[in-house]
Amino acid sequence: MQSSTTHPHSRDGLSWPNGYRSAVGLAFDLDGPTGDAMLDGALRHNPRYFTEGAYGPFRALPRLLDLLARHEMPATFFIPTWVVEQWTESCAAILRAGHEVAYHGHHHEFFRDLTPERQLEVMQRSREVFRSRLGVVPSGFRTPSGDWTAQTPSLLREFGIRYSSSMRGEDRPYFHPAPEGAVPLVELAGRWDMDDYTSLAYFEDPAFPTGHDRISDYRAVLANWCAEFEGYHAEGLFWTTILHPKVSAKPARLAILDGLFSTIRKHDDVWLTTLDQIARWSLQQAGYPAGQEPS
């Protein structure tokens, strides 16, 4: 269920620091082999599924980090903490490269199917893993299922989360309703348009896409993604992505990301930053304290 919203800015009044025209927060979901097969127990009997997912942190991530470094672009990585436990050094490399890590469940749970008590248990377990394995406590959250229950926004705010990137319906930061005097949860919505699953994913058993009818032409994908960015930039909006290293950071597909990053870099008036910095800016612009680091 999507919460009702209030906007910190009208579109005409949207402003970014240092005179930037638009804001970009690149975001990647480092899911590994979590998800359906792990949640229903099928992973134990499906080594192929495991290796398909493990390709993300094992092989694709180093390639992606090198590309981000070449373009000097920061990013936010949403990581199920089971992945942090299995590939701790890979996740530590994300932080050493100056990127942000954020919550994405422990086993990539579907929050819409969990009771509030169970959602809190997942968040608490995830916080402990981030703290013990990487020495950080994230400030952001992206629900693995792309949906949640009516209680989730307040649960996240009370847990100390500064922002969510879970919804799909906006191109500006907005706030979820909060009690008077409370600092609201910032929503930094992504879009299915910029989810690489919609054009590049192909997995068997479970089948995705159903019917196995396409992997898009890579030149068309690059053109679409660049057009999406240019549209947001022209209107001075906020733009983020839902990309997965195991899908789009394969050798031939890295050229798509390289082309996209080059297109963004042609503009000197884009604020390239992490989602946490976007959330802090949005709170400050609306007169709220941006908050301390989570503990």
Side-chain angles (χ1 to χ4, degrees), residues 70-215:
R70 287 205 299 275
H71 287 275
E72 298 182 343
M73 300 180 80
T76 297
F77 288 79
F78 294 95
I79 314 174
T81 39
W82 184 88
V83 173
V84 176
E85 291 178 331
Q86 309 308 314
W87 290 278
T88 303
E89 177 54 30
S90 296
C91 295
I94 294 173
L95 292 172
R96 288 199 298 271
H99 304 298
E100 177 191 8
V101 296
Y103 292 103
H104 201 41
H106 183 67
H107 288 142
H108 203 271
E109 295 88 353
F110 295 168
F111 271 54
R112 65 189 177 205
D113 296 333
L114 303 182
T115 65
E117 292 77 16
R118 180 62 184 138
Q119 292 179 38
L120 182 59
E121 289 176 4
V122 172
M123 295 300 299
Q124 290 171 333
R125 182 176 186 179
S126 298
R127 180 169 58 188
E128 181 53 33
V129 172
F130 274 119
R131 179 183 286 153
S132 62
R133 297 300 183 99
L134 300 179
V136 298
V137 176
S139 64
F141 170 84
R142 174 174 282 173
T143 180
S145 62
D147 209 341
W148 58 25
T149 67
Q151 297 87 359
T152 307
S154 59
L155 182 150
L156 294 173
R157 177 178 51 76
E158 293 167 5
F159 188 76
I161 297 300
R162 182 176 294 120
Y163 75 88
S164 157
S165 183
S166 304
M167 299 294 107
R168 299 292 186 269
E170 253 294 2
D171 45 30
R172 301 162 293 178
Y174 65 83
F175 301 145
H176 292 281
E180 185 175 355
V183 177
L185 178 71
V186 181
E187 182 63 42
L188 304 174
R191 305 286 300 210
W192 294 124
D193 321 69
M194 282 308 305
D195 187 330
D196 50 10
Y197 265 76
T198 63
S199 52
L200 297 175
Y202 187 100
F203 297 102
E204 289 187 352
D205 192 21
F208 188 94
T210 302
H212 288 150
D213 56 354
R214 63 98 181 91
I215 285 182

